[in-house]
Each structure stands twice: as C-alpha cells, then as structure tokens.
Amino acid sequence: MDEALTELGEYISQALGAENVDWTVAHGGLTLVVTAERLLDTARFLHDDARCQFVSIIDVCGVDWPGREKRFDVVYH
C-alpha cells in the first residue's frame, strides 16, 4: 500500500508543482501539505483528476502550535 501511496504522492507533486505541495507517506496514509492560497486548486485537482478521483472531505480540524509564529494549521481528511 505504501508503494501505491508514494506513487500517488509523486504524481500529485508533479502535477501541481513540487514547490506547491509537500507530501509524505506515514502510518498507512498519504499526507499533503499546501498553503492556504493553494488549497482550493489542490482540492479541485484531487476531485477532478481521473487518477485521483477524491470525492469527499470527511473531517476538518485545527491544530495549535503555540511555539510557531503561524501557530494554526487546518487539517482536512
């Protein structure tokens, strides 16, 4: 499974531009990191692209990193 997720991460990074998306595979899941400015373009690509075909967001939560200057992250599953 990790191999398939790695291939998907590489595909997404290539399609969106490596400078626009950071990705990792860990604990059986693919994680993408994008800026707030790239969020809608990334979500549209994940939904519309024939290879990805993501269909729903099942959870949204926030993470507070008090030690960082930009301390909040939004996480979409």
Side-chain angles (χ1 to χ4, degrees), residues 24-67:
T24 58
V25 174
H27 309 289
L30 173 63
T31 298
L32 304 176
V33 178
V34 298
T35 63
E37 294 79 22
R38 296 290 303 173
L39 179 62
L40 289 178
D41 290 337
T42 302
R44 269 191 208 99
F45 173 80
L46 293 173
H47 179 268
D48 295 345
D49 184 80
R51 185 167 171 185
C52 297
Q53 298 183 357
F54 286 34
V55 294
S56 65
I57 295 174
I58 59 171
D59 186 33
V60 179
C61 63
V63 181
D64 183 2
W65 302 91

